[in-house]
Amino acid sequence: MTANALPQIVDADTWQRQLDALRDREKAATRELDAIAAQRRRMPMVKMPDYSLEGEEGPVRLEDIFDGKSQLIVYNHMWFPGEEWQCGGCTGFTSQFTRLEFLDNYDARFVIVTQGPIDDALAYKRRVGNKMTWYSTANSPFGADVGAPSGGGFAVNVFLRDDDTVYRTWHTNGRGTEQLSHSFALIDLLPYGRQEEWQDSPEGWPQSPTYSRWATSQDIAAHYGLNS
């Protein structure tokens, strides 16, 4: 960052006019997100087979992962066999979710499912201080069937339960998960933004290679894990 990498200095009236113009775009984006959410609520659904996953207490059927709720959000966490430190993006993303009880009021639950063996997954959860409930699909085709095969990346899937029958209602991956994150929302408010090379920023703004400012799994463990 150079000494000249600063926003233009203007008078208060000019600043307010530009803020008002930006606010119009922000409101339009909010209305568009409302419309997208309305379309999402009208999505059809697909009936799921009767999967069996592994939880902290042993095998568990997919419908039982709902823990009595009717709606379930699943974050499919990337997993690399034999690695001490798993995906930094997944580790950082899921570390944000420490207080999920508010979902009780919406008859919903949010959990992690990973391709890692359950004992390894739970050990990693403790190492990095993760607070979510973890399940393993290592011995089940569930992960591959919902867009998160072994070595195939991460995803978010949403399910609806009607008695003992489970339906898949929504899926996203890649940058589609950003709406669920408060970290990017806060960073994007900053004058310098994410400071990544791909972003459209004024000349002279600090920019770094993509992901270079992201916390690593080791960073997360140092902040929140067993030895923090």
Side-chain angles (χ1 to χ4, degrees):
M1 183 176 65
T2 69
N4 296 323
L6 296 171
Q8 180 185 10
I9 300 173
V10 297
D11 60 81
D13 288 342
T14 300
W15 180 85
Q16 187 63 54
R17 283 196 299 271
Q18 295 206 25
L19 178 65
D20 291 343
L22 178 61
R23 185 62 41 78
D24 287 341
R25 295 189 66 182
E26 291 172 340
K27 288 182 177 180
T30 298
R31 289 190 291 270
E32 177 62 13
L33 288 174
D34 287 342
I36 290 170
Q39 183 176 348
R40 188 182 296 119
R41 290 191 292 273
R42 288 164 173 79
M43 278 284 293
M45 59 187 185
V46 178
K47 183 179 178 181
M48 301 296 288
D50 186 14
Y51 295 100
S52 179
L53 284 72
E54 297 286 333
E56 192 161 2
E57 313 235 330
V60 56
R61 297 173 65 190
L62 178 60
E63 57 263 39
D64 293 328
I65 292 176
F66 284 73
D67 196 26
K69 308 294 194 298
S70 68
Q71 301 168 100
L72 177 69
I73 303 169
V74 170
Y75 184 82
N76 297 96
H77 196 296
M78 291 180 71
W79 189 269
F80 302 98
E83 296 292 329
E84 179 182 6
W85 300 105
Q86 298 300 324
C87 170
C90 290
T91 304
F93 178 84
T94 55
S95 72
Q96 300 174 77
F97 302 105
T98 59
R99 297 178 180 175
L100 293 166
E101 293 80 8
F102 69 92
L103 288 173
D104 292 344
N105 294 339
Y106 298 88
D107 193 24
R109 192 182 188 208
F110 187 10
V111 303
I112 291 176
V113 172
T114 186
Q115 290 282 358
I118 188 61
D119 289 343
D120 294 346
L122 294 175
Y124 185 71
K125 168 186 171 175
R126 291 188 292 270
R127 187 178 311 130
V128 298
N130 191 282
K131 303 300 182 185
M132 298 179 72
T133 303
W134 287 51
Y135 297 91
S136 169
T137 184
N139 299 312
S140 163
F142 173 76
D145 290 350
V146 297
S150 180
F154 62 96
V156 174
N157 284 280
V158 181
F159 304 92
L160 180 67
R161 182 180 63 84
D162 183 23
D163 292 329
D164 292 334
T165 305
V166 176
Y167 300 91
R168 187 185 186 198
T169 66
W170 190 72
H171 163 272
T172 195
N173 56 20
R175 293 191 65 196
T177 63
E178 286 188 9
Q179 280 190 53
L180 310 179
S181 166
H182 69 252
S183 60
F184 288 126
L186 291 176
I187 294 168
D188 284 341
L189 295 178
L190 301 173
Y192 296 127
R194 304 186 197 185
Q195 303 177 44
E196 296 192 356
E197 292 172 336
W198 62 270
Q199 285 198 295
D200 181 0
S201 296
E203 184 175 352
W205 253 230
Q207 289 186 305
S208 306
T210 303
Y211 311 128
S212 62
R213 293 179 182 270
W214 290 25
T216 66
S217 299
Q218 295 95 318
D219 293 334
I220 299 299
H223 290 313
Y224 307 114
L226 284 176
N227 299 316
S228 62

